[in-house]
Amino acid sequence: MKQFLIALVIGLVLVNCFGSLVGDWFGFHIMMADEYLSPWENILALSIIAVVFVVVGFIVAVSVVGTLVMGALAAIAALFVVGVSALWPVLLIIGIVYALRRSNREYAR
């Protein structure tokens, strides 16, 4: 949550800075109902747009990371299942030998 708030603040600061620069350099202003919005209303509108973009970006980033982690876990599980299914006879023999050797040691004592 802390990283999300930091990203949100950074996004708002960038939008405010670039919004002011665009307004000064290019004369870009938002119009509503045939009237120009004041500079503060411009910043507010662009900030709301920026917050929406930040939230959407956070959701996309989290879903991409979640998909990658889930895919990696599925690949590891698949390799484990393939390994066990291909090597079960060897694992069975090792288990039998271990059980027999362990029982022989107990009788020897």
Side-chain angles (χ1 to χ4, degrees), residues 5-76:
L5 293 175
I6 291 171
L8 189 65
V9 169
I10 290 171
L12 289 174
V13 168
L14 287 175
V15 166
N16 289 334
C17 293
F18 288 130
S20 298
L21 286 175
V22 167
D24 291 342
W25 287 352
F26 304 115
F28 175 79
H29 299 285
I30 299 174
M31 288 185 66
M32 293 184 92
D34 294 332
E35 293 182 15
Y36 288 113
L37 295 179
S38 71
W40 288 107
E41 291 171 335
N42 272 337
I43 290 173
L44 180 65
L46 292 174
S47 297
I48 291 171
I49 293 169
V51 168
V52 170
F53 285 145
V54 167
V55 169
V56 169
F58 179 76
I59 291 170
V60 168
V62 168
S63 67
V64 168
V65 170
T67 302
L68 291 174
V69 168
M70 189 170 49
L73 291 176
I76 290 169

Side-chain angles (χ1 to χ4, degrees), residues 83-96:
V84 169
S85 65
L87 299 174
W88 72 267
V90 174
L91 295 174
L92 181 64
I93 292 171
I94 290 172
I96 291 171

